[in-house]
Amino acid sequence: MIEWLRRRLRGIALVRAAYLSLVAPKGLERRAARRDLVLLLVFYGIVTPIGIVRRLLGGSLRENAGWTKIQQSTADRALFECES
Amino acid sequence: MPTTLGISCFYHDAAAAIVRDGVVVAAAQEERFSRKKGDPSFPMSALSYCLEDAKLTVDALDSVCFYSHPVLGFDRVLRSFLSVAPRGLEPWLKAMPGWVSEKFRTRSIIETALRESGAEFRGPILFMPHHLAHACAAFFPSPFERAAILTVDGVGEWATASFGVGEGSRATITREMRFPNSLGLLYSAITYFCGFKVNSGEYKLMGLAPYGTPRYVDLIKRDVARIEEDGTVRLDLRSFGFLDGVKMVSKRFDRIFGGPRREPESRITRREMDLAASIQVFLEEALMKMARHVHRETGEKYLCLAGGVALNCVANGKLLREGPFEDIWIQPAAGDAGSALGAALGAQFGWHGLARPPRDGLDRQRGSYLGPSFSEAEVETYLASEEIPFRRLAPEERASTVAEALAEGKVVGFFHGRMEFGPRALGGRSILGDPRRPDTQRTMNLRIKYRESFRPFAPAVLAEDVAAYFELDRPSPYMLLVAPVRAERLRPRSSEIGSDDDLLAAVNQVRSDLPAITHWDYSARIQTVHRETNPLFHEVIASFKAKTGVGVVVNTSFNVRGEPIVCTPAEAYQCFARTDMDHLYLEGFWLDKRDLPARPKDESWMREFELD
């Protein structure tokens, strides 16, 4: 039962990443696991709530239909200076 | 004389280009040096080559221009995740490390690379919106003084297509179609579903289309994507997986088209052929409507095209024949690699305010022979050091020796002059064959290129003879236009493709007096060869014509499946030695396969290249 529960929990990405960040061998593997954990926390802790609120407020990629008017010209020097 | 380095990388097909005083000096894709097809990594080798070719160190550069605005790109990525979260975890985990390690650090990566090249760069590092870079690559090298510009690809920052006008030294974009609605992504989704690789298999899908019947067009329009009258497309996002998954299509696609995607390398069935035909019809309709809209909006007579979709030469040919523009010009490196050139050109005429130079021959792309070349002395040193038997050809016997071998039905590797910039081999790094022989297509596909048997080969025809063989009345120097073979040259096909979907049987049917270059639908992807841009290649075809009466040869890229086109004499020799090519013309030297020491049969080298 405990083994089954552990397998199920490990299947859940967040728990799995936290688990791996602790038990993965030191070095690249553990660093990758910790990076995944941070990315997961950002995804579920920040991106998901903001995304849900945005969608409730009507934000959607569906608005991007048809030709959108823009003005981009090589004559506009400011266009080249956008900081990366 | 301001000099600008253009760079594109981090997505696919990284490249570098150098433009000096408005003239393209050098351009190359990183894959040719790293030997990884479509290599997206920072193009350090291509950059080094461009500097070396221009005889410059980085302190002599006046500016560097990157082909996209990373911040705007991230805005699109983030908003896409916001639109689907909590779904989308898998692509989030896949995409973010690349943003953190590379794309956010673009400026510092460029600075570091320039520093590592040994001198101090003191100029500005500029950034150009992706589709404007495509637009610059489309318009500035073109022969037109003013023209409409249309760019269509998968996705740039937000834009998936854009249009505007080029005039003199200025390119302007005034409208764009935005992600997720994308003709390029739709075509790639079907490419994926048919079992081909995204970002390289699109060409195969186009080649497969003539074997099929477009019976899925209505289904695509009903359940997958709609085409508006102005040419914009609207995807039904329920059918796609690229927003919240790592696959191009969703399970809904399987239901619409009656089963899961074709497994790569498995048998191609009637469904894939019909899907290829259907998406080709869809793409042509969308592009034609776009072109008509652009024509109405801009009132221009000519059109310049770029973006990955502009590599669909079947659609280009139709646009030329049936579209509203008097003439069109397509950037030969229409995909992302060409944006490095576009970024450099845009910075020259925009940031530095230079005047656009007059056209140099056909256009300002110089035949797209912009890559490395090797002197005869270098080649001889290589051949001698490897103890490879060769015959030195006097200048006056070079063309005739190649032509004679071709006329005897031999397959010749042809390595001459500068390497091409862009995905097509144009007589710099080519494999040539006799177009009259019915078995040439099969032999070259299966025994030399090791690729799918159904894929057609392109004809390289003397520019002055093009109308004698094809329904085309103008130059097509970059193999970007498909046109019908002339009616009097055609032979009736004995039957349609059988119910067993046997493509090989279809391929073996003689369809014209030039069977090796005549596709199933009696079309050909034409390269006109011009004395001005490649005199030796022109002479080879002229000599072949003198011997056979036919001013056409088969031209395919010098590589095997999955391998980037060869760049150096060593790579050319290796490819020659491993495959069933009969001869190699290597910059003035003639190699005969029969003279090479016998090699044990070993095909393990094929694993070096990931299948595309």
Side-chain angles (χ1 to χ4, degrees):
Chain A
M1 178 66 183
I2 290 169
E3 182 56 35
W4 176 85
L5 194 60
R6 209 170 65 173
R7 272 208 308 269
R8 297 295 298 172
L9 284 175
R10 277 166 62 179
I12 299 171
L14 197 58
V15 176
R16 184 172 176 275
Y19 173 76
L20 281 177
S21 68
L22 293 172
V23 303
K26 279 186 183 171
L28 278 179
E29 220 172 305
R30 185 173 293 191
R31 242 194 328 243
R34 288 190 174 159
R35 183 197 63 201
D36 281 356
L37 180 62
V38 171
L39 287 173
L40 272 161
L41 290 171
V42 171
F43 187 76
Y44 286 125
I46 301 172
V47 176
T48 299
I50 294 174
I52 290 169
V53 172
R54 266 175 58 89
R55 291 204 296 279
L56 288 172
L57 294 174
S60 162
L61 292 177
R62 285 176 199 281
E63 294 150 20
N64 292 345
W67 291 109
T68 303
K69 194 171 180 179
I70 56 157
Q71 184 71 26
Q72 289 178 350
S73 172
T74 51
D76 176 12
R77 280 172 64 97
L79 194 78
F80 292 92
E81 290 172 327
C82 171
E83 185 56 61
S84 71
Chain B
M1 288 212 297
T3 306
T4 301
L5 170 70
I7 294 172
S8 65
C9 59
F10 300 148
Y11 287 88
H12 44 87
D13 213 6
I18 279 192
V19 179
R20 181 193 288 145
D21 218 17
V23 176
V24 186
V25 175
Q29 294 139 270
E30 185 67 6
E31 64 162 27
R32 306 292 166 87
F33 305 95
S34 67
R35 310 307 297 156
K36 291 180 201 151
K37 189 132 183 169
D39 191 349
S41 55
F42 187 84
M44 198 63 212
S45 304
L47 187 157
S48 301
Y49 152 69
C50 287
L51 288 170
E52 193 184 316
D53 188 83
K55 298 181 176 57
L56 290 176
T57 49
V58 295
D59 53 344
L61 290 174
D62 296 280
S63 57
V64 173
C65 192
F66 190 69
Y67 82 128
S68 108
H69 274 184
V71 171
L72 294 178
F74 188 68
D75 179 54
R76 188 252 308 161
V77 170
L78 191 56
R79 281 172 198 261
S80 300
F81 283 117
L82 288 173
S83 75
V84 295
R87 288 177 294 127
L89 177 66
E90 209 180 338
W92 169 268
L93 290 176
K94 207 172 164 193
M96 283 307 119
W99 278 96
V100 173
S101 64
E102 285 178 338
K103 293 166 192 159
F104 279 142
R105 297 177 51 243
T106 300
R107 180 181 289 276
S108 74
I109 289 174
I110 294 173
E111 284 169 347
T112 306
L114 295 174
R115 226 180 0 259
E116 282 174 3
S117 74
E120 193 188 350
F121 171 68
R122 285 179 289 269
I125 294 176
L126 309 171
F127 293 84
M128 177 180 273
H130 182 65
H131 274 255
L132 186 59
H134 273 315
C136 291
F139 174 65
F140 289 130
S142 80
F144 309 129
E145 296 316 308
R146 58 176 300 143
I149 305 169
L150 176 62
T151 67
V152 192
D153 72 357
V155 62
E157 291 92 2
W158 272 105
T160 59
S162 73
F163 72 84
V165 170
E167 184 184 2
S169 304
R170 178 186 296 198
T172 306
I173 288 178
T174 52
R175 291 278 193 287
E176 69 182 18
M177 185 165 88
R178 291 191 167 176
F179 182 84
N181 296 307
S182 166
L183 191 54
L185 287 177
L186 170 63
Y187 200 85
S188 292
I190 304 272
T191 301
Y192 167 83
F193 193 71
C194 288
F196 302 119
K197 212 169 177 178
V198 172
N199 289 331
S200 67
E202 285 79 359
Y203 222 65
K204 299 182 191 179
L205 197 68
M206 186 183 74
L208 188 62
Y211 298 106
T213 308
R215 66 184 166 106
Y216 291 116
V217 176
D218 290 340
L219 203 55
I220 292 174
K221 286 182 179 172
R222 198 188 72 197
D223 290 340
V224 180
R226 209 168 67 208
I227 309 174
E228 307 293 348
E229 268 316 295
D230 60 6
T232 54
V233 296
R234 193 158 185 162
L235 304 191
D236 185 334
L237 294 174
R238 291 173 302 173
S239 299
F240 295 88
F242 56 77
L243 274 177
D244 58 0
V246 289
K247 291 178 179 167
M248 288 299 291
V249 299
S250 69
K251 287 277 177 207
R252 191 167 182 260
F253 232 76
D254 302 0
R255 289 195 293 274
I256 295 169
F257 297 112
R261 76 180 283 230
R262 168 186 165 251
E263 281 304 311
E265 307 308 315
S266 66
R267 188 178 175 81
I268 292 171
T269 67
R270 165 64 48 196
R271 183 185 70 160
E272 283 78 52
M273 292 182 228
D274 292 348
L275 260 173
S278 304
I279 194 62
Q280 184 63 34
V281 167
F282 184 98
L283 179 111
E284 287 169 14
E285 183 183 333
L287 264 185
M288 193 64 79
K289 284 183 169 168
M290 266 187 203
R292 292 203 175 107
H293 181 72
V294 171
H295 186 253
R296 273 195 304 272
E297 291 284 309
T298 63
E300 295 294 335
K301 283 197 285 188
Y302 305 116
L303 176 69
C304 296
L305 278 169
V309 174
L311 291 171
N312 191 304
C313 36
V314 180
N316 294 343
K318 191 165 182 186
L319 201 56
L320 180 65
R321 286 191 302 278
E322 300 170 24
F325 292 96
E326 286 181 21
D327 204 356
I328 63 176
W329 191 86
I330 306 135
Q331 164 58 236
D336 277 3
S339 312
L341 181 59
L345 287 164
Q348 288 262 294
F349 303 126
W351 178 265
H352 293 288
L354 292 180
R356 194 166 163 231
R359 67 194 247 183
D360 172 19
L362 287 174
D363 51 38
R364 298 164 172 89
Q365 183 85 11
R366 303 170 63 192
S368 218
Y369 303 109
L370 302 170
S373 63
F374 297 84
S375 68
E376 289 182 34
E378 285 173 301
V379 172
E380 187 171 15
T381 305
Y382 164 72
L383 293 172
S385 70
E386 297 292 320
E387 297 178 354
I388 297 165
F390 63 83
R391 180 158 74 91
R392 182 195 295 273
L393 297 177
E396 63 277 9
E397 62 174 338
R398 290 174 184 177
S400 61
T401 304
V402 176
E404 198 168 315
L406 292 173
E408 287 168 6
K410 303 283 195 266
V411 176
V412 180
F414 190 71
F415 183 105
H416 164 66
R418 297 185 74 173
M419 184 180 70
E420 301 86 345
F421 180 54
R424 305 279 81 85
L426 302 169
R429 306 288 184 273
S430 291
I431 300 173
L432 308 179
D434 182 349
R436 302 167 301 159
R437 290 172 187 264
D439 60 343
T440 300
Q441 182 178 6
R442 189 180 174 189
T443 305
M444 288 176 79
N445 266 334
L446 300 180
R447 286 175 43 215
I448 293 168
K449 302 279 284 187
Y450 298 103
R451 67 181 199 181
E452 300 87 340
S453 63
F454 69 85
R455 295 179 65 183
F457 285 107
V461 56
L462 295 172
E464 56 273 27
D465 283 357
V466 63
Y469 299 96
F470 308 103
E471 303 283 352
L472 185 72
D473 60 356
R474 62 197 77 200
S476 172
Y478 304 115
M479 217 184 263
L480 284 167
L481 293 173
V482 164
V485 175
R486 284 189 72 89
E488 62 269 25
R489 299 191 165 273
L490 304 182
R491 304 276 183 275
R493 294 190 304 237
S494 56
S495 67
E496 294 301 313
I497 300 172
S499 56
D500 61 348
D501 302 332
D502 189 350
L503 279 170
L504 198 56
V507 165
N508 287 337
Q509 288 188 33
V510 173
R511 299 173 289 273
S512 78
D513 60 355
L514 302 173
I517 55 88
T518 306
H519 204 0
W520 181 250
D521 60 352
Y522 299 114
S523 69
R525 179 163 48 94
I526 300 159
Q527 180 200 0
T528 54
V529 178
H530 302 256
R531 191 178 284 118
E532 300 83 358
T533 48
N534 196 336
L536 181 65
F537 192 29
H538 186 275
E539 207 184 327
V540 166
I541 304 171
S543 180
F544 182 76
K545 186 184 174 188
K547 292 175 200 303
T548 64
V550 172
V552 181
V553 299
V554 174
N555 178 12
T556 186
S557 51
F558 201 147
N559 60 348
V560 293
R561 185 178 170 195
E563 179 190 19
I565 295 175
V566 301
C567 176
T568 65
E571 287 151 12
Y573 173 73
Q574 202 165 49
C575 187
F576 165 67
R578 286 166 166 176
T579 63
D580 276 356
M581 262 181 269
D582 300 296
H583 294 281
L584 173 60
Y585 175 83
L586 198 53
E587 209 64 89
F589 298 90
W590 186 244
L591 278 66
D592 189 322
K593 182 64 69 61
R594 290 167 302 189
D595 298 338
L596 299 190
R599 293 159 65 101
K601 187 80 178 164
D602 174 19
E603 294 188 338
S604 60
W605 58 270
M606 284 190 199
R607 289 192 289 275
E608 276 178 33
F609 307 109
E610 193 185 333
L611 293 181
D612 62 1

